[in-house]
Amino acid sequence: MSIASPRSAVLHSFAISAVLVALAEMGDRSQVLAIVLASRYRRALPILAGILVATIVNNGVAALVGYYLGGLLAANWFKYLVSASFIAMAAWALLPDRDSAKTEHESRFGIFITTVLAFSLVELGDKTQIATIALAARFHDVVAVAAGTTLGMLLADVPAVFLGETLTRYLPVKYLRYFAALLYLTLGFWGIASVAGWIR
């Protein structure tokens, strides 16, 4: 079984992957995270760079998983881990901004690393990651699917970053933090209850 495919099939896999993931990403938790990060740090470039790196890595790994191990993320322990990560994200969202005593270079580097880690965490078990796995299993093309899903996520998340910056001009940052914390806390407990079978 080859990872590569003819040119027309590659373009088809790429286009389908980009469109499906862009649509799936609308209103998704990672899009909300992009808004929260932008409203928290108010620096678009390091956030966009972090989103790009995290998306390339995560979608590449997800495409490989879909190509070789399509059912890996079905385990209950993994779903519990993902749900617990949302509760941790809720706590993180409530943390106040650190004092800006660092240099501009250090601050931007910190924002970049924070974005990479946060996006990597929030994408675990996310519907766009599941979609990437499914698409790679369907098309048997790691590169085209990973590239397409990366483009799809960027189409949804890049505007969200600029929306987050705009929101800070009209809403106090603390209210955005409260909203983000409530959202992630809800997702975390909802996920745990779903895996445990308490809700259907």
Side-chain angles (χ1 to χ4, degrees), residues 4 12 16 22 26-27 48 58 60 65 69 74 86 91-92 99 104 112 118 120 131 137 151-152 156 161 169 171 198:
H12 179 259
I16 293 295
M26 293 301 173
L48 291 173
N58 290 339
V65 168
L69 303 168
F86 290 134
W92 174 81
D99 294 333
E104 183 76 4
F112 169 77
S120 297
L151 175 62
V161 171
R169 300 174 192 168
L171 292 174
W198 300 336

Side-chain angles (χ1 to χ4, degrees), residues 89-143:
M89 289 291 292
W92 174 81
L94 290 174
L95 291 176
D97 294 332
R98 284 176 286 175
D99 294 333
S100 55
K102 296 183 177 182
T103 65
E104 183 76 4
H105 175 74
E106 290 173 329
S107 178
R108 287 188 176 182
F109 185 72
I111 294 170
F112 169 77
I113 294 297
T114 298
T115 303
V116 171
L117 293 177
F119 256 79
S120 297
L121 180 63
V122 83
E123 277 300 301
L124 287 175
D126 189 58
K127 62 186 177 184
T128 51
Q129 187 181 60
I130 301 299
T132 302
I133 292 171
L135 287 163
R138 165 66 179 81
F139 293 118
H140 297 281
D141 192 323
V142 172
V143 175

Side-chain angles (χ1 to χ4, degrees), residues 14 17-19 21-23 25-26 30-31 34 47-56 59 115 119 123 128 146-162:
F14 173 82
S17 298
V19 171
V21 167
L23 292 174
E25 188 72 358
M26 293 301 173
S30 52
Q31 193 178 49
I47 293 171
L48 291 173
I51 291 173
L52 177 62
V53 169
T55 302
I56 290 172
N59 287 357
T115 303
F119 256 79
E123 277 300 301
T128 51
T149 54
T150 296
L151 175 62
M153 287 191 65
L154 292 177
L155 288 173
D157 292 337
V158 169
V161 171
F162 293 106

